[in-house]
Amino acid sequence: MAEDWQAPEALAAFAELDHDRVARRGYPEGIYCEGKTHDQVAAIAAAVGQRGDVTLFTRATPAHAKAIQTELPDALYDEDARLVAWPPQPPAPTGGPVVVVAAGTSDLAVAREALLTATYLGRDCELVMDVGIAGLHRMLGKLELLRRARAIVVVAGMDGALPGVVAGLVSAPVIAVPTSVGYGAAFQGIAPLLTMLNSCAPGVAVVNIDNGYGGGHLAAQIAAPA
Amino acid sequence: MAEDWQAPEALAAFAELDHDRVARRGYPEGIYCEGKTHDQVAAIAAAVGQRGDVTLFTRATPAHAKAIQTELPDALYDEDARLVAWPPQPPAPTGGPVVVVAAGTSDLAVAREALLTATYLGRDCELVMDVGIAGLHRMLGKLELLRRARAIVVVAGMDGALPGVVAGLVSAPVIAVPTSVGYGAAFQGIAPLLTMLNSCAPGVAVVNIDNGYGGGHLAAQIAAPA
Amino acid sequence: MAEDWQAPEALAAFAELDHDRVARRGYPEGIYCEGKTHDQVAAIAAAVGQRGDVTLFTRATPAHAKAIQTELPDALYDEDARLVAWPPQPPAPTGGPVVVVAAGTSDLAVAREALLTATYLGRDCELVMDVGIAGLHRMLGKLELLRRARAIVVVAGMDGALPGVVAGLVSAPVIAVPTSVGYGAAFQGIAPLLTMLNSCAPGVAVVNIDNGYGGGHLAAQIAAPA
Amino acid sequence: MAEDWQAPEALAAFAELDHDRVARRGYPEGIYCEGKTHDQVAAIAAAVGQRGDVTLFTRATPAHAKAIQTELPDALYDEDARLVAWPPQPPAPTGGPVVVVAAGTSDLAVAREALLTATYLGRDCELVMDVGIAGLHRMLGKLELLRRARAIVVVAGMDGALPGVVAGLVSAPVIAVPTSVGYGAAFQGIAPLLTMLNSCAPGVAVVNIDNGYGGGHLAAQIAAPA
Amino acid sequence: MAEDWQAPEALAAFAELDHDRVARRGYPEGIYCEGKTHDQVAAIAAAVGQRGDVTLFTRATPAHAKAIQTELPDALYDEDARLVAWPPQPPAPTGGPVVVVAAGTSDLAVAREALLTATYLGRDCELVMDVGIAGLHRMLGKLELLRRARAIVVVAGMDGALPGVVAGLVSAPVIAVPTSVGYGAAFQGIAPLLTMLNSCAPGVAVVNIDNGYGGGHLAAQIAAPA
Amino acid sequence: MAEDWQAPEALAAFAELDHDRVARRGYPEGIYCEGKTHDQVAAIAAAVGQRGDVTLFTRATPAHAKAIQTELPDALYDEDARLVAWPPQPPAPTGGPVVVVAAGTSDLAVAREALLTATYLGRDCELVMDVGIAGLHRMLGKLELLRRARAIVVVAGMDGALPGVVAGLVSAPVIAVPTSVGYGAAFQGIAPLLTMLNSCAPGVAVVNIDNGYGGGHLAAQIAAPA
Amino acid sequence: MAEDWQAPEALAAFAELDHDRVARRGYPEGIYCEGKTHDQVAAIAAAVGQRGDVTLFTRATPAHAKAIQTELPDALYDEDARLVAWPPQPPAPTGGPVVVVAAGTSDLAVAREALLTATYLGRDCELVMDVGIAGLHRMLGKLELLRRARAIVVVAGMDGALPGVVAGLVSAPVIAVPTSVGYGAAFQGIAPLLTMLNSCAPGVAVVNIDNGYGGGHLAAQIAAPA
Amino acid sequence: MAEDWQAPEALAAFAELDHDRVARRGYPEGIYCEGKTHDQVAAIAAAVGQRGDVTLFTRATPAHAKAIQTELPDALYDEDARLVAWPPQPPAPTGGPVVVVAAGTSDLAVAREALLTATYLGRDCELVMDVGIAGLHRMLGKLELLRRARAIVVVAGMDGALPGVVAGLVSAPVIAVPTSVGYGAAFQGIAPLLTMLNSCAPGVAVVNIDNGYGGGHLAAQIAAPA
């Protein structure tokens, strides 16, 4: 029914445009492994190796990592963060500093995914751990570091109150990452997600539950060189 | 089908038991006005006047208050708290002090309902206002007062983070009252309710959304003379 | 019970610290009017006038605005955005440009709140309207403008798909603001909120439903001079 | 109590009616395997073999498939789509072409269930993969194919934005199938389901989460010969 | 930062493409009035009058209609369906017949919006009313009519069971439109929405709650001439 | 497409069947007024008057009642229960006794709708009021009455605990009707609905929120003469 | 504080009362096994054996059953229904007939739990299987049987529409049991639960998801001899 | 950017303050084990051993317990309560008595966590089991004990009605702990949580689902010596 329509040049141009954009941003591509078979992941890794582009594989199980390393033997696998990075060396840092804060030990895996993502996107990153709201003084001890950051990622489960507290103390934007840690009525992360969305202090924006990759990516964009 | 069963003394005894309990506790009875007609409320007020019991009417509109005052002309009506109290003089305070904290100006009506309830149940109460988590220093200025309390009621909407922060700084139990104040994803109080249930700091329990009466009542029970 | 504890200097120092921070950021304070009486808002306005600080009053009804203007007669009121700003002249812009995108005409009020907020926080802002996903070509016509932005706020209801599309085309961070516009299963903004949280394209963070103030504030922070 | 009521002919006639309808439509019957034991599934397969009707068994585990193949040894099992078809050869295609679009690799299993269903219901089908909204240009490259379709099935998880984008570019009806792929706040498919229901572009209808069978069936009905 | 990128011809071509598509489909454009001011709606109506395109204004209040009729005096307003159509005469019908079924009297407004939409998109339509599942025999009396349809729209609130029953009796695709009619646990249409999504009979797809426009539009697309 | 199918006698028989059933049960028909215009309700009332069937109009506003009484001047309107009954005299009671229990004064309207419904369906009914769980002894005083009932309807909002308590004390079936009375987290009746569904005591079944008509109808069926 | 209160006779009398009730009803006691250890279940079984009371153990895993049979070797275990009954012979049936309807094969386990429960509570029961709404004629073939029932239990997952259809055809009360069978948006039984609560036909009450025991118990109570 | 700010004494003082508070309260610290690796838990245990502070490890699996006991060989592990306590001897009891009530056998693990927590925080505790609302007389037999308590923890799943019943009979505060026990529509504890929040009797506050630690902690605080 649409057989007479013809505008291949227009489409080709548009497609090129997107390609061009990736090249200029220099951001590694992200491959979401969950729900992909090992064969599918290996095929993507092979294609990545041929193109030579910097790439992050997120939500990678050890078996995913093994499949990737068959094609890209030097790829780095961080099991805590469930992240595979290739090539294994992060780029030299540019832009402003990024600080990633984990409210508790249980939030560490997600925080580490954010940290590594921002690092491989070219930022200078630092991790601050276990500064939950119940021990406010521990966070205050890190205040100077927090105030130097150009972007802050705060990873928290349970009551999710930490990002709002941090945002009240600094002028940098705070990216809040809710985690699925906690008792029943945390509802796999819905409770901290809602807390963060309703933060009394302006300066907080939220990404998806357990989405450390998204938090780190956004922080890297915010702290990019102007 | 149950026509031959007979145990009136047992039931009568049980009924007395309950009556006896109210008398001994000395707590005023609470009448929930919402959903009651003005005639129904007036009839209850008339019965209260005849028995002479101390009584609180909660969620009372001005029209409810007027209907009550037809029967109990000296009843006190606090429009902010939507509370009618009779007789109008609260009892002389006993037990430990109760502090009611309102996170923001918008939480004042609910906080006031808690304050008056605990006062009419016989406690010495104090109200602390506008000490939200975004201005942490204001709450810290009240720390000495908070630490003297035997029970603390914290009323907060939006992110509902304040009760957890307070609980981390004091040893008294904190009763958290979520309010239905805030932007869309506060969902009429669900967000602060969840935050409070998921508080990282132990020592926080929660009552229903906007239920200042329940919060004040519980605080009065906690701070009752041993 | 805590009567012997004494550390006033520590607390005073901490309180000062916060004051100091506000001064150095130069960001106007935000007063949330919803749930406040006209008298309360007027009292705050009077205090603002005495201190001389730049201030934004959000979610202000015309009656709120009138109460504020009794104390601050030259305060600007934008009825669409439900925002009162004082003093009425925004500061001279610094930092990078901010672009605010409204998916449809119905999202205009929230978009305008974001625009004015970022403007009064000192950024150079531009508004792009009615570029919803159903008419993709309209957004593509604005691509050059979007790519110049240091931060982009995208305001959308219904399916909330626009922020993800924008994020796929630019390298600047995208702040997504869901609105409560739409048919039944948009659930007063939950549907676009979830869409935005689940954006396939990295580079999107979300603020609360209809929270144009929060979106504009965060954009201004991101685009602040380094 | 209803013992004197008698209208067997009426009921028998009505029952025949339904039988008649199935015969005339020529659509294979669908057997939902989830929650059925292997013995139950085998018994159904035996009955199918005796009647000789074309049949699809959906949500079939490998063990279900094995039980079916005991009775129908030549039945085809597609493990990705969890579908058993018997007889194994699809009918010769009639009606208009159907295109099935998978937003990402993780949506492939559900897309394949839709594809096979429509194929076994007698349509000429084509599968388009990995054309998510974050890489819009890839979908645009398939535009000619999409515009030739009489019905389009779009399978997507996460933000579920793709069906709305497709519907804005074609005149054929779009059947959207949400999948349970994604981070926490995708809520096992609720997020893309809501996005699809709230699609800004008219021309989108939605079936249940992960219900590739339903999507393919409806597409086959739409594209049936008039 | 993107200042050197230049591909205006590509974008222009793409934009044209969309324009071209609308022209060829011959479908009227839909303007969603809810959330738009009367001035905004009037401005759109003026533009429509200049272009001369067939247009539907949905969710139009009487005041919206009046604003439109200032610019397009002969525009037709159907208050039940909250629809304004211009020009007032629907096109001559082409394609297959469309039947719209309303489960009850309370679903009539939404059903009528579907009916008018499909009519103005060029289909021959018929309305069947009050055939709810509790009176199954009434629907059976309409069976012949239903079986002649090329597409069926079923509008139902409460238990939303009717579309599944209809789909079990016909071979045409059924578009289900849930309505927000019913007791408390119908949750403003969520209950029938879920029922419809979970329909046991294949052949049902669902549009948004109360979205008669979407249901009628999709039916018109399905029943379009091949 | 189904033009050659012919079975009119079958359908006619089936339709008769339903008619026959209504006649033999002797239950009045129920007309749900919410969402119907006054004209629609009046038209139905006129038809009812011509047929002479006993009829209940539920959820009738005073304006609905007036429209009905134009056609059926002697129809009874109970404003509390929002019920119109015609003819106004209930039938002579048959079957077992029905008891309707209201947990509090605020549940009275819904309880009254249940009471009148069961009465007009021909049962001998009694209303027990204000026997909430917080005053258990009041309910125990009614135990003899409750144990004589053939079916019990318990209407309760807030915590909805009363039906489970009653069911633990009697052998008759308990029909629980949740009401939308209560503080925020009662969620317009969802909280008592869930409580009732999760009742620890067997012997409780639940109808929709505020659906006194449904509760009374079911009780009348249960207590019907065998 | 309550040390002087003494009313042991009253309490003892009340406790007896409950004991007395169980004896007179003759209903077996139900023990919910889920969440109990094997030792706990065995200890209860031993106590049951000593008292000699008829008892049903619900939600019993095979390991639970084995633990019970150590103490009560002749106890009957129905693995499909996850039910242990002791003594193994059901009582001779009294009262009216009960019919249990399963909408599909996948609902069989829950239907069987209902069937056995009603049987062990002393009713004459019959099971009708696989009469879902998509094959309405199959249910109509059972109409005579359904109309003889004094109580009907309808077990259904997915769209949950069957109970409403049945209720529209019979005069007996219908107890609806939703099951957790179905695609994603059935939400583990919430969809059929809501459908059943919103049934257009009066005469339907609902018990908890997958609660065949509750459904069978209630049916046995309804059909008890008067 | 904040490099010139210096207030180390203030922060140090504040930090000390918190330390000081813990020391004076004498409450053991709580370590939440869920989501922590065995190595992380062991490291914390080693630190605890060096400081010598009383500590509770909650939500500890047997493997967690083993890791802790490598560092603290005499630590007590209660597998039912999933709690590790060190040192193993609880302190001598002070303050008022605490009673923990479990509604059913399935609630025992959570009740035991509450019991042990309050015991290790220094209270005299007693456990009352299996007094659910369906067997009210069993609870009444414990009334004298309940009335002696200074604080009562009530642990209940399913309908969650017990705390409200208890609160109606005593004057002590009731801390309600919902558990995730029950059929489908208990929704992993949401149903009892809502019931408890909506309790008709004042005097009930709620902690998170399955959070026995929180319930016990709060009870210990309430019953602390004045």
Side-chain angles (χ1 to χ4, degrees), chain B residues 123-190:
Chain B
R123 297 302 157 264
D124 186 22
C125 296
E126 195 153 340
L127 181 64
V128 174
M129 274 193 55
D130 202 3
V131 293
I133 196 174
L136 220 49
H137 61 284
R138 282 180 294 208
M139 185 188 60
L140 294 174
K142 300 289 183 181
L143 199 50
E144 206 174 340
L145 173 64
L146 290 168
R147 292 197 169 171
R148 265 204 304 271
R150 177 81 188 148
I152 300 172
V153 179
V154 183
V155 182
M158 293 185 167
D159 65 14
L162 190 60
V165 172
V166 171
L169 296 172
V170 303
S171 63
V174 171
I175 306 305
V177 186
T179 62
S180 52
V181 169
Y183 281 87
F187 299 129
Q188 280 78 51
I190 298 180

Side-chain angles (χ1 to χ4, degrees), chain A residues 7 9-11 13-14 17, chain E residues 5-17:
Chain A
E9 321 78 46
L11 292 177
F14 188 71
L17 178 164
Chain E
W5 181 83
Q6 295 290 346
E9 322 76 44
L11 293 176
F14 188 72
E16 285 310 304
L17 177 165

Side-chain angles (χ1 to χ4, degrees), chain C residues 120-220:
Chain C
Y120 278 92
L121 269 72
R123 296 301 157 266
D124 186 21
C125 296
E126 195 154 339
L127 180 65
V128 175
M129 276 192 55
D130 203 3
V131 292
I133 196 173
L136 221 50
H137 60 285
R138 284 181 294 209
M139 186 188 61
L140 295 175
K142 301 289 183 178
L143 200 50
E144 205 173 342
L145 173 64
L146 290 169
R147 291 197 169 171
R148 265 203 304 271
R150 176 82 188 150
I152 300 172
V153 179
V154 184
V155 181
M158 296 186 165
D159 64 15
L162 190 60
V165 172
V166 171
L169 297 171
V170 303
S171 63
V174 170
I175 305 305
V177 186
T179 62
S180 52
V181 169
Y183 280 88
F187 298 129
Q188 281 75 51
I190 299 180
L193 168 60
L194 291 181
T195 307
M196 291 163 178
L197 284 170
N198 287 289
S199 178
C200 295
V204 178
V206 187
V207 298
N208 208 339
I209 296 167
D210 291 333
N211 188 2
Y213 171 71
H217 197 288
L218 198 67

Side-chain angles (χ1 to χ4, degrees), chain D residues 14 17-18 21 25 140 147 150 168-173 197-198 202-208 217-218 221-222 224 226, chain E residues 14 17-18 21 25 140 147 150 168-173 197-198 202-208 217-218 221-222 224 226:
Chain D
F14 187 72
L17 177 166
D18 186 73
R21 177 182 65 86
R25 284 163 94 190
L140 294 175
R147 292 198 168 170
R150 175 83 186 149
L169 297 172
V170 303
S171 63
L197 283 171
N198 288 288
V204 178
V206 187
V207 297
N208 208 339
H217 196 289
L218 198 67
Q221 290 173 280
I222 293 171
Chain E
F14 188 72
L17 177 165
D18 188 72
R21 175 181 67 85
R25 286 164 93 190
L140 294 174
R147 292 198 168 171
R150 175 83 187 149
L169 297 172
V170 302
S171 62
L197 284 171
N198 287 288
V204 178
V206 187
V207 297
N208 208 340
H217 196 288
L218 199 66
Q221 289 173 281
I222 293 171

Side-chain angles (χ1 to χ4, degrees), chain C residues 6-195:
Chain C
Q6 294 291 347
E9 321 78 44
L11 291 177
F14 188 72
E16 286 310 306
L17 175 166
D18 187 74
H19 212 237
D20 182 49
R21 175 181 66 86
V22 170
R24 283 167 61 222
R25 286 164 93 190
Y27 291 158
E29 195 176 354
I31 308 295
Y32 182 79
C33 294
E34 206 159 286
K36 291 198 176 67
T37 64
H38 304 156
D39 285 357
Q40 289 170 341
V41 162
I44 294 169
V48 163
Q50 283 166 7
R51 284 192 318 192
D53 288 356
V54 179
T55 305
L56 295 177
F57 297 81
T58 64
R59 299 266 165 144
T61 60
H64 280 130
K66 211 167 145 186
I68 295 165
Q69 287 168 336
T70 314
E71 300 292 336
L72 303 167
D74 62 337
L76 173 145
Y77 179 45
D78 187 291
E79 191 168 345
D80 281 349
R82 287 176 296 169
L83 196 86
V84 175
W86 186 87
Q89 294 76 19
T94 61
V98 167
V99 173
V100 177
V101 181
T105 309
S106 310
D107 304 312
L108 187 57
V110 175
R112 210 167 153 68
E113 189 189 19
L115 186 85
L116 288 174
T117 299
T119 301
Y120 278 92
L121 269 72
R123 296 301 157 266
D124 186 21
C125 296
E126 195 154 339
L127 180 65
V128 175
M129 276 192 55
D130 203 3
V131 292
I133 196 173
L136 221 50
H137 60 285
R138 284 181 294 209
M139 186 188 61
L140 295 175
K142 301 289 183 178
L143 200 50
E144 205 173 342
L145 173 64
L146 290 169
R147 291 197 169 171
R148 265 203 304 271
R150 176 82 188 150
I152 300 172
V153 179
V154 184
V155 181
M158 296 186 165
D159 64 15
L162 190 60
V165 172
V166 171
L169 297 171
V170 303
S171 63
V174 170
I175 305 305
V177 186
T179 62
S180 52
V181 169
Y183 280 88
F187 298 129
Q188 281 75 51
I190 299 180
L193 168 60
L194 291 181
T195 307

Side-chain angles (χ1 to χ4, degrees), chain G residues 41-218:
Chain G
V41 163
I44 294 170
V48 164
Q50 284 165 7
R51 284 191 318 192
D53 288 356
V54 180
T55 305
L56 295 177
F57 296 81
T58 64
R59 299 268 164 143
T61 60
H64 279 131
K66 212 169 145 185
I68 295 164
Q69 288 169 336
T70 315
E71 299 292 337
L72 303 168
D74 63 336
L76 172 146
Y77 179 46
D78 187 291
E79 190 168 344
D80 280 351
R82 287 176 296 170
L83 197 86
V84 175
W86 184 87
Q89 294 77 19
T94 60
V98 168
V99 174
V100 177
V101 181
T105 310
S106 310
D107 304 312
L108 188 57
V110 175
R112 211 167 152 68
E113 190 189 19
L115 186 85
L116 288 174
T117 298
T119 301
Y120 277 92
L121 268 73
R123 295 303 156 264
D124 185 21
C125 295
E126 195 152 341
L127 180 65
V128 174
M129 275 192 55
D130 202 4
V131 293
I133 196 173
L136 219 49
H137 62 285
R138 283 182 293 211
M139 186 188 61
L140 293 175
K142 299 289 183 180
L143 200 50
E144 206 174 341
L145 173 64
L146 290 168
R147 292 197 169 171
R148 265 203 305 272
R150 176 81 187 149
I152 301 172
V153 179
V154 184
V155 181
M158 295 186 165
D159 65 15
L162 191 59
V165 172
V166 171
L169 297 172
V170 303
S171 64
V174 171
I175 306 304
V177 187
T179 62
S180 53
V181 168
Y183 281 87
F187 298 130
Q188 280 77 50
I190 299 181
L193 168 60
L194 291 181
T195 306
M196 291 162 177
L197 284 170
N198 287 290
S199 178
C200 295
V204 179
V206 187
V207 298
N208 208 338
I209 296 167
D210 291 333
N211 188 3
Y213 171 71
H217 197 288
L218 198 68

